[in-house]
């Protein structure tokens, strides 16, 4: 199955004529997050004190946080075209779709 | 239709037809299953078999649908146990909850296979609010 390429957020309200359309390229986000993880690894290596301070508050190492996000993105992409969220109220509609 | 498929597979195994011919026959059987003019919806996902669906319909007509592939639920659950802050983890330990004892993988498997019709939550309030959580 083809991987999802875009996460698209669509917002329509009764006041908006055309609605809001926010495409997020998942294949780019995937690479960016992986790059961020490497960058965070470097920063934490250069400033180990910073890592200890952050970890004391949030639990896992900051690099692990970023790696977790990096692990989720391929999972999101693995199912092709599907709808993650649909919200419909009287005058607002929000959709999050994977394409 | 399954019997016909089995016959085709048996003919391949007995060497009566080539695998290519068998594949064509199986494709033809698949076409027959579809009603004329029927347009089948594209499957939401094929990687893992199931989807966790959360449906909320409010009394004022607001509808919320959330669809989560079980593979994603599995990965996110594994990660969720790691991202719990130390303070929260200690507070849970004091309450007798040891996160390391919870087998997330098994929990998700139970969610996926545990109920007959896949229905996990089905609540209807007196004011008309309806909440459904099911796996299909």
């Amino acid at each position: 199955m083809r991987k999802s390429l875009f996460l698209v957020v669509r917002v329509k309200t009764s006041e908006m004529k055309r609605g809001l359309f926010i495409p997020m390229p998942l294949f780019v986000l995937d690479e960016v997050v992986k790059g961020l993880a490497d960058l965070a690894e470097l920063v934490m290596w250069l400033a180990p004190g910073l890592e200890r301070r952050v970890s004391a508050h949030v639990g896992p190492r900051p690099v692990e946080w970023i790696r977790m996000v990096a692990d989720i993105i391929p999972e999101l992409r693995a199912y092709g075209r599907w709808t993650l969220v649909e919200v419909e109220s009287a005058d607002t509609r929000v959709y999050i779709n994977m394409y | 239709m399954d019997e016909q498929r089995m016959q085709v597979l048996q003919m391949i195994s007995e060497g009566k037809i080539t695998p290519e011919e068998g594949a064509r026959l199986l494709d033809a059987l698949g076409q027959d299953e579809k009603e004329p003019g029927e347009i089948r919806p594209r499957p939401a996902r094929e990687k893992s078999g199931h989807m966790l669906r959360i449906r909320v319909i409010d009394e004022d007509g607001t509808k919320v649908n959330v669809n989560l592939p079980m593979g994603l639920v599995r990965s996110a659950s594994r990660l969720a146990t790691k991202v719990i802050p130390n303070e929260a983890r200690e507070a849970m330990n004091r309450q007798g909850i040891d996160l390391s004892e919870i087998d997330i993988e098994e929990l998700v498997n139970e969610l996926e296979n545990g109920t007959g019709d896949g229905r996990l939550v089905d609540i209807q309030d007196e004011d008309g609010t309806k909440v459904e959580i099911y796996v299909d």
Side-chain angles (χ1 to χ4, degrees), chain B residues 26-85:
Chain B
L26 289 171
D27 282 345
L29 287 172
Q31 289 295 320
D32 289 344
E33 282 175 356
K34 203 164 90 172
E35 294 294 323
E38 180 190 2
I39 299 169
R40 291 194 174 173
R42 182 195 290 260
R45 40 78 203 100
E46 288 171 359
K47 188 184 173 219
S48 106
H50 298 100
M51 189 79 103
L52 178 73
R53 299 185 192 276
I54 302 166
R55 304 265 175 273
V56 181
I57 302 171
D58 201 8
E59 56 183 308
D60 62 1
T62 302
K63 290 181 193 170
V64 178
N65 295 336
V66 179
N67 305 308
L68 295 168
M70 287 307 287
L72 184 63
V73 173
R74 188 172 278 116
S75 308
S77 310
R78 276 198 297 261
L79 299 179
T81 55
K82 293 182 188 170
V83 298
I84 294 172

Side-chain angles (χ1 to χ4, degrees), chain A residues 16-85:
Chain A
M16 289 176 169
K17 208 171 184 181
R18 305 184 79 177
L20 198 62
F21 183 86
I22 308 166
M24 198 180 294
L26 286 171
F27 58 101
V28 175
L29 199 64
D30 199 1
E31 295 300 322
V32 168
V33 174
K34 280 178 194 162
L36 269 179
D38 291 341
L39 192 63
E41 191 97 53
L42 179 67
V43 170
M44 294 302 152
W45 182 72
L46 292 172
L50 178 66
E51 181 174 9
R52 276 194 296 276
R53 280 203 298 277
V54 175
S55 297
H57 291 288
V58 297
R61 299 164 62 215
V63 177
E64 282 181 33
W65 276 93
I66 301 170
R67 293 244 184 258
M68 284 174 204
V69 176
D71 288 344
I72 288 283
I73 294 171
E75 271 298 327
L76 273 175
R77 294 188 62 198
Y79 302 92
R81 188 174 174 169
W82 58 287
T83 301
L84 177 63
V85 176

Side-chain angles (χ1 to χ4, degrees), chain A residues 86-90, chain B residues 53-66 119 121-134:
Chain A
E86 279 176 276
V87 180
E88 294 180 5
S89 69
Chain B
R53 299 185 192 276
I54 302 166
R55 304 265 175 273
V56 181
I57 302 171
D58 201 8
E59 56 183 308
D60 62 1
T62 302
K63 290 181 193 170
V64 178
N65 295 336
V66 179
R119 203 163 286 273
V121 174
D122 189 353
I123 302 169
Q124 181 140 23
D125 199 0
E126 284 175 2
D127 63 9
T129 302
K130 194 172 181 186
V131 178
E132 286 181 339
I133 302 176
Y134 57 95

